[in-house]
Amino acid sequence: MSSDFPLSHEQLCELVKKFPTPFYLYDENAIRENMRYFTKAFSIFPRFREHFAVKALPNPYILKILAEEGCGTDCSSLPELILSDAAGIEGEKVMFTSNETPAAEFQYAYEHGNICNLDDITHIPFLKESLGGKFPELICFRYNPGPLKKGGNAIIGKPEEAKYGLTREQLFEAYQKCRALGAKRFGLHTMVASNELNPEFFIDTAKIVFELCVTLKKEYDIRIEFVDLGGGVGIPYKPDQKKVDLDYVAKGIRALYDSMIVPAGLDPLGIYWECGRPITGPYGWLITTAIHEKHIYRDYIGVDACMADLMRPGMYGAYHEVTVSGKENAPKDQVYDVVGSLCENCDKFAVQRPLPKIERGDIVIIHDAGAHGRAMGFNYNGKLRCGEILMRPDGTFKEIRRRETIDDYFATLDMQGVKSFS
């Protein structure tokens, strides 16, 4: 579990009176402090910027907080680009890392001065066509190292099996094609893991990317002005896991920078990241209430949240720590499956988890849900997605997304027209 819950039992009970469960709670002060730690670790580079992955927590309030801490954004769709604009994050502070991208979305990114990070060599002529024959001065490509990069996990998979990015040979060809089309500035990006906790993994990734930068300069006279090392930095969801030491990662990458980038005449080279999970993940919690219990072949606790609110456990078998408010020090002498109401048997937040005895009405806290939580919600079974609450540094609370209503669910349906349909 990455962080302690910031409210006492009494404070949480009062909050639930105002905002009925389920809802997400985020700690603004902790997110700010965490972003400052990230920035300080990588301040040893001449140029550094974190482009927060909007997909992790697409809320303009959160993005505005991170913008105030110097963040840009990494976007993968038009709505995410619009959210960045709403938060005041503009121009080259926005990286548009999409795949299978519609023309209109490339047009928006180009018109707003965002960095287009292309996912395939065939996107070069598509981009030019999308822009009516124009072409960006600054272009970036996503590199897929294939079997050169060992590792990967169930979320992205092995690099050679992933749908993302260009091969090494395609990359060399792509930069030359773009230069011929008028591009004058170049970036390089890779993203080959998700929720990785081994710090050596990121240092090794930097070595692969730096080697490409040196080769591009030496053999093709292409000067890369920044590298985006992607995201993938994990958080310790389980109590026995350790947080990634970003100071160690930064120093390891800096040693490679000094031995590879500086001698090649590529200094200063921007070092970018597009992390989401390690920025907000530990500082968001899904708050839910126990409303049922069931005792058959196993003992079950039914809560008022479901997989439609947090799908990671059902989708990936992901672990999230679960605590019961007010019973943090009680003996964990019961074993439960903690489940939601979705008509899917994988709708389980915890499986055979030792927990204190849970009564109807107990408030259950699902930890480390501040990234890829509410963002991955859905409406299957007609479920209505929960809202989001921000705890401000002064201890007050702001509803930054209201919970969905039945009217929201029916908003795209012609409920009146169906009555006369035949």
Side-chain angles (χ1 to χ4, degrees):
M1 185 168 60
S2 299
S3 60
D4 294 328
F5 188 67
L7 300 180
S8 68
H9 176 61
E10 292 73 23
Q11 289 174 317
L12 183 57
C13 288
E14 287 302 309
L15 186 63
V16 167
K17 290 178 183 177
K18 184 176 181 181
F19 301 107
T21 60
F23 59 82
Y24 276 88
L25 175 67
Y26 307 117
D27 185 341
E28 177 183 340
N29 191 62
I31 290 171
R32 287 186 182 274
E33 289 297 321
N34 193 39
M35 187 59 234
R36 290 168 189 170
Y37 159 64
F38 199 108
T39 300
K40 183 179 179 182
F42 288 93
S43 65
I44 60 176
F45 292 94
R47 290 174 51 214
F48 160 74
R49 185 159 63 232
E50 152 69 354
H51 290 254
F52 179 74
V54 178
K55 61 180 172 287
L57 209 176
N59 189 298
Y61 284 86
I62 299 297
L63 298 185
K64 189 170 184 179
I65 289 166
L66 293 173
E68 290 172 358
E69 299 299 331
C71 277
T73 54
D74 181 86
C75 301
S76 57
S77 69
L78 180 55
E80 290 184 357
L81 291 171
I82 294 171
L83 282 172
S84 295
D85 286 340
I89 303 172
E90 301 172 333
E92 292 181 13
K93 284 194 171 183
V94 178
M95 180 81 72
F96 186 41
T97 305
S98 59
N99 64 94
E100 317 311 334
T101 308
E105 301 196 3
F106 275 138
Q107 291 167 8
Y108 185 97
Y110 175 77
E111 290 167 1
H112 286 75
N114 307 146
I115 301 171
C116 288
N117 183 25
L118 302 187
D119 188 63
D120 190 68
I121 193 169
T122 63
H123 294 175
I124 298 171
F126 183 84
L127 177 61
K128 182 180 179 182
E129 179 185 342
S130 301
L131 302 180
K134 293 177 287 187
F135 202 78
E137 181 180 286
L138 171 59
I139 200 73
C140 186
F141 286 101
R142 179 171 184 165
Y143 172 52
N144 183 332
L148 182 65
K149 181 65 177 175
K150 304 300 181 185
N153 53 35
I155 299 176
I156 289 184
K158 297 178 181 178
E160 63 267 36
E161 297 175 359
K163 70 174 184 175
Y164 308 107
L166 289 74
T167 67
R168 180 184 177 92
E169 292 73 21
Q170 288 175 334
L171 199 67
F172 295 150
E173 181 183 351
Y175 284 112
Q176 295 177 83
K177 283 187 172 183
C178 289
R179 181 167 57 184
L181 290 172
K184 296 180 174 63
R185 301 167 58 205
F186 305 97
L188 175 60
H189 166 278
T190 194
M191 170 80 175
V192 291
S194 183
N195 198 35
E196 177 61 55
L197 292 174
N198 179 4
E200 299 295 341
F201 186 94
F202 306 105
I203 299 170
D204 179 61
T205 298
K207 184 177 181 180
I208 291 172
V209 172
F210 287 170
E211 186 274 331
L212 270 175
C213 292
V214 173
T215 301
L216 283 162
K217 175 71 163 55
K218 182 178 179 180
E219 298 186 14
Y220 301 96
D221 195 29
I222 299 287
R223 188 188 191 284
I224 301 296
E225 70 172 64
F226 69 83
V227 293
D228 185 328
L229 299 175
V233 178
I235 60 175
Y237 286 101
K238 296 181 179 180
D240 60 345
Q241 293 176 326
K242 292 183 179 180
K243 181 179 179 180
V244 175
D245 185 341
L246 294 179
D247 290 308
Y248 177 87
V249 172
K251 289 174 183 176
I253 295 175
R254 179 72 214 209
L256 292 173
Y257 185 99
D258 290 338
S259 64
M260 299 175 70
I261 296 301
V262 174
L266 292 169
D267 181 43
L269 176 73
I271 304 296
Y272 296 171
W273 288 90
E274 57 171 69
C275 291
R277 191 188 317 269
I279 305 300
T280 60
Y283 308 109
W285 300 264
L286 176 56
I287 311 301
T288 184
T289 300
I291 57 173
H292 290 287
E293 60 179 299
K294 183 173 184 174
H295 306 281
I296 47 173
Y297 306 106
R298 291 182 176 185
D299 293 330
Y300 294 89
I301 294 296
V303 295
D304 60 3
C306 70
M307 186 180 170
D309 298 305
L310 177 63
M311 71 185 297
R312 294 187 71 253
M315 184 177 183
Y316 301 128
Y319 181 97
H320 283 264
E321 186 75 356
V322 173
T323 56
V324 184
S325 184
K327 297 183 179 181
E328 292 84 358
N329 298 318
K332 297 180 180 181
D333 54 4
Q334 308 292 313
V335 177
Y336 296 115
D337 281 13
V338 180
V339 303
S341 59
L342 210 66
C343 295
E344 295 288 343
N345 195 46
C346 60
D347 182 15
K348 298 182 178 183
F349 296 114
V351 176
Q352 292 296 277
R353 188 78 60 86
L355 290 166
K357 183 173 177 56
I358 299 176
E359 310 284 352
R360 284 182 57 199
D362 280 349
I363 303 173
V364 176
I365 304 166
I366 302 174
H367 294 252
D368 299 305
H372 309 287
R374 174 59 173 75
M376 296 175 73
F378 54 92
N379 290 123
Y380 179 61
N381 268 174
K383 296 301 181 182
L384 305 177
R385 289 169 289 190
C386 65
E388 297 175 305
I389 310 299
L390 180 67
M391 184 173 76
R392 306 302 308 278
D394 63 2
T396 60
F397 298 91
K398 169 71 175 175
E399 185 177 48
I400 60 173
R401 186 196 298 267
R402 64 167 174 79
R403 64 194 305 163
E404 288 183 335
T405 66
I406 291 177
D407 286 342
D408 294 327
Y409 182 79
F410 290 138
T412 57
L413 294 171
D414 184 1
M415 298 298 290
Q416 296 301 317
V418 72
K419 296 177 181 178
S420 59
F421 179 75
S422 61

